């Protein structure tokens, strides 16, 4: 196994707080065999790769590319958007709209800096671009007591919990926070349908097939006035 994959697996294990013994048990192999995986001296089977993908909660594309997204930073991006909406009437953002705001932040940052804000891989879904970990991130933030998710008709509305407004967003730079605020302000008075239609008309979405990973590089071809 290449060092790239070995380091990738080790980094994900450490990020999730899993022990080597735990990982070995989940894969059905001995701990020394698993250590060989992280050292790059033992290849993994396709079945083991599937187990690792499911265990880490990442897409097959992320695993195949050995790209390590900044998951905790992505969660802070969610909190940053919710914080920027606290000045609105109820401080709530529809779940689908929030997913699109995060997409715009990542791809707009790539447009300006040639690297994304979180490193997440967005999939071309029928309801718009979204990374698979989005839903897990919301669940975790709710379990941690940082956000609330309330139903309203057919929609789910996401907002900060009472204890979260002053939480540090230390994984985001000032410029990243500034961009999030700009995007949030632009779309604050728009409804979910508006932002869904906007992202569907952007080149990255239009040039990809259903369920395909959307390459960040496609945003470079976008008209500057329609990046976000």
């Amino acid at each position: 196994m290449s060092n790239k994959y070995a380091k990738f697996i080790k980094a994900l294990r450490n990020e999730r707080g899993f022990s080597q013994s735990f990982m070995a048990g989940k894969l059905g192999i001995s701990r020394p065999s698993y250590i060989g995986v992280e050292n790059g001296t033992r290849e993994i089977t396709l079945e083991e790769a599937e187990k690792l993908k499911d265990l880490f909660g990442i897409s097959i594309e992320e695993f195949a590319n050995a790209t390590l997204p900044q998951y905790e930073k992505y969660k802070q991006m969610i909190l940053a958007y919710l914080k920027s909406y606290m000045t609105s009437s109820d401080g709530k953002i529809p779940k689908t709209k929030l997913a699109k705001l995060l997409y715009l932040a990542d791809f707009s940052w790539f447009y300006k800096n040639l690297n994304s804000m979180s490193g997440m891989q967005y999939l071309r879904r029928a309801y718009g671009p979204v990374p698979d970990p989005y839903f897990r991130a919301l669940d975790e933030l709710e379990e941690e007591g940082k956000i609330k998710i309330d139903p309203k008709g057919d929609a789910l509305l996401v907002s900060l919990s009472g204890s979260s407004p002053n939480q540090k967003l230390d994984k985001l730079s000032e410029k990243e926070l500034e961009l999030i605020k700009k995007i949030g302000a632009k779309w604050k008075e728009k409804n979910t349908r508006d932002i869904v239609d906007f992202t569907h008309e952007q080149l990255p979405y239009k040039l990809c097939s259903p369920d395909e990973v959307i390459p960040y590089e496609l945003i470079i071809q976008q008209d500057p006035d329609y990046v976000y």
Side-chain angles (χ1 to χ4, degrees):
M1 177 183 291
S2 70
N3 285 335
K4 179 177 75 170
Y5 285 102
K7 290 179 180 178
F8 177 64
I9 292 169
K10 183 177 181 179
L12 283 174
R13 176 180 66 78
N14 287 331
E15 182 183 89
R16 303 295 193 272
F18 298 151
S19 69
Q20 291 179 327
S21 296
F22 173 83
M23 295 294 297
K26 288 295 183 180
L27 293 179
I29 60 178
S30 67
R31 184 171 179 271
S33 293
Y34 177 76
I35 291 174
V37 171
E38 289 195 355
N39 289 339
T41 59
R42 180 188 181 278
E43 296 289 339
I44 59 173
T45 66
L46 287 176
E47 182 181 358
E48 289 168 350
E50 282 289 334
K51 289 180 180 179
L52 287 171
K53 174 185 73 70
D54 294 339
L55 183 61
F56 291 138
I58 61 176
S59 69
I60 191 64
E61 290 83 5
E62 287 172 323
F63 192 88
N65 294 327
T67 52
L68 184 61
Q70 299 182 66
Y71 182 66
E72 293 302 321
K73 184 177 183 180
Y74 183 71
K75 289 167 69 175
Q76 287 195 6
M77 289 167 63
I78 293 173
L79 296 176
Y81 267 122
L82 294 173
K83 187 174 182 179
S84 74
Y85 269 63
M86 287 186 66
T87 56
S88 63
S89 57
D90 58 8
K92 298 178 180 180
I93 307 178
K95 187 176 179 180
T96 300
K97 181 178 180 179
L98 178 58
K100 305 303 165 283
L101 290 170
L102 292 161
Y103 160 80
L104 291 177
D106 260 327
F107 276 70
S108 297
W109 190 258
F110 189 93
Y111 185 86
K112 294 174 179 289
N113 302 282
L114 295 182
N115 63 281
S116 74
M117 200 176 288
S118 73
M120 288 290 172
Q121 291 198 327
Y122 290 77
L123 303 176
R124 188 192 188 279
R125 301 300 193 193
Y127 44 84
V130 64
D132 283 341
Y134 173 62
F135 308 99
R136 176 164 60 90
L138 289 182
D139 288 342
E140 289 181 3
L141 288 170
E142 186 177 31
E143 290 171 2
E144 293 165 5
K146 295 176 181 177
I147 67 171
K148 297 183 295 182
I149 302 177
D150 301 308
K152 184 178 181 181
D154 295 332
L156 291 173
L157 304 181
V158 187
S159 61
L160 288 175
S161 66
S163 60
S164 293
N166 297 322
Q167 181 173 313
K168 290 183 179 179
L169 303 175
D170 54 357
K171 296 186 182 299
L172 293 163
S173 69
E174 289 186 10
K175 289 186 176 181
E176 288 171 333
L177 287 169
E178 182 181 347
L179 179 61
I180 286 174
K181 289 178 182 177
K182 284 183 178 179
I183 296 172
K186 177 177 180 178
W187 290 98
K188 184 173 289 188
E189 303 304 323
K190 304 287 186 179
N191 60 37
T192 300
R193 185 73 260 168
D194 291 333
I195 195 169
V196 168
D197 289 344
F198 179 83
T199 56
H200 280 203
E201 288 301 314
Q202 285 190 309
L203 288 175
Y205 188 85
K206 294 177 74 172
L207 294 176
C208 291
S209 301
D211 300 324
E212 183 181 0
V213 173
I214 302 175
Y216 279 100
E217 291 78 9
L218 293 179
I219 195 65
I220 301 300
Q221 306 174 46
Q222 186 67 54
D223 185 319
D225 293 331
Y226 293 94
V227 173
Y228 68 84

